[in-house]
C-alpha cells in the first residue's frame, strides 16, 4: 500500500466517522427534547395526581399540606405559607397542566420556566432535597428552555404553519 492509498483510506474513514457523528447529532436533536420534556413532566404530574379527589375537586390533604405541613425555609427562619388555599390550588393545577403542556410540546419554554419556579419554591420547602431532586429538575427545565421544544412538538407544528401562512400571504 502506498502512502497516497493510506491517506485516501484515512480520509474515507474520517468521512464515515463524520457522517455517523452527524447522523447521531441529528437523531439526538430530534429525540432529546421530548425525552427531556417527559423526564421533567413525570414527577410533577404524579405529584399533581395526589392533589385531586376528582375532576376539579381539590383534595383536602392538598390544602392541609400548605396550611400545616409545608413551611418556607428562608434566611434561617421557618415561615408559614401565605394564602395556603390559594397555593394549594395553584400547585394542584400547575402540577397537572404544566406537565401536560410539556409532553405535548405546547408553550414549552414557558411551562419549563414555570416548573423551574415551582422547583425553586419546593427547594425553599424541602431544602434537603436539592441534590437528589431539585438540582436534576432545575437542570432539565433549563435544558428545555435552552434547547426549545424540538421538532416533535406542537410548538414546532404551530410555528411551521405560521411560517407557511406568512409565506403564502
Amino acid at each position: 500500500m502506498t502512502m497516497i492509498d493510506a491517506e485516501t483510506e484515512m480520509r474515507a474513514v474520517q468521512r464515515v466517522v463524520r457522517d455517523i457523528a452527524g447522523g447521531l447529532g441529528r437523531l439526538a436533536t430530534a429525540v432529546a427534547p421530548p425525552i427531556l420534556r417527559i423526564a421533567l413532566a413525570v414527577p410533577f404530574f404524579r405529584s399533581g395526581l395526589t392533589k385531586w379527589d376528582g375532576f376539579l375537586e381539590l383534595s383536602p390533604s392538598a390544602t392541609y399540606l400548605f396550611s400545616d405541613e409545608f413551611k418556607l425555609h428562608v434566611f434561617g427562619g421557618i415561615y408559614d405559607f401565605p394564602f395556603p388555599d390559594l397555593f394549594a390550588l395553584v400547585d394542584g393545577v400547575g402540577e397537572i397542566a404544566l406537565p401536560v403542556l410539556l409532553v405535548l410540546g405546547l408553550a414549552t419554554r414557558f411551562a419549563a420556566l414555570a416548573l423551574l419556579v415551582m422547583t425553586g419554591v419546593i427547594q425553599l420547602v424541602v431544602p434537603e432535597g436539592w441534590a437528589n431532586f431539585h438540582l436534576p429538575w432545575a437542570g432539565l427545565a433549563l435544558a428545555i428552555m435552552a434547547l426549545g421544544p424540538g421538532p416533535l412538538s406542537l410548538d414546532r407544528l404551530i410555528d411551521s404553519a405560521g411560517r407557511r401562512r406568512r409565506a403564502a400571504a
Side-chain angles (χ1 to χ4, degrees):
M1 180 183 287
T2 67
M3 186 65 120
I4 294 174
D5 292 339
E7 287 178 18
T8 303
E9 276 189 40
M10 183 58 74
R11 279 194 290 265
V13 169
Q14 288 173 338
R15 193 172 333 115
V16 168
V17 169
R18 266 194 313 271
D19 290 347
I20 291 171
L24 288 174
R26 286 186 296 280
L27 177 65
T29 299
V31 174
I35 298 297
L36 291 169
R37 296 189 329 249
I38 291 167
L40 182 58
V42 167
F44 283 93
F45 189 78
R46 291 181 68 179
S47 176
L49 290 175
T50 68
K51 306 286 186 342
W52 298 94
D53 276 344
F55 184 71
L56 298 179
E57 188 178 330
L58 192 63
S59 168
S61 64
T63 303
Y64 170 79
L65 287 172
F66 282 90
S67 61
D68 296 327
E69 289 291 321
F70 293 163
K71 305 294 180 198
L72 295 169
H73 298 78
V74 181
F75 302 121
I78 299 175
Y79 305 95
D80 290 334
F81 262 91
F83 314 108
D85 293 340
L86 178 62
F87 270 94
L89 179 63
V90 169
D91 178 64
V93 170
E95 286 185 339
I96 295 295
L98 295 170
V100 169
L101 290 173
L102 272 184
V103 170
L104 295 174
L106 183 61
T108 306
R109 285 186 165 116
F110 295 109
L113 175 61
L115 289 176
L116 179 62
V117 169
M118 286 181 75
T119 300
V121 172
I122 294 167
Q123 175 61 32
L124 294 176
V125 173
V126 188
E128 61 276 3
W130 73 271
N132 293 327
F133 301 104
H134 312 150
L135 184 60
W137 294 344
L140 287 167
L142 289 169
I144 292 165
M145 291 165 57
L147 296 174
L152 304 174
S153 66
L154 288 179
D155 283 343
R156 182 68 57 92
L157 184 66
I158 291 167
D159 184 53
S160 296
R163 287 182 191 186
R164 283 193 301 272
R165 190 175 305 129
R166 285 189 296 275

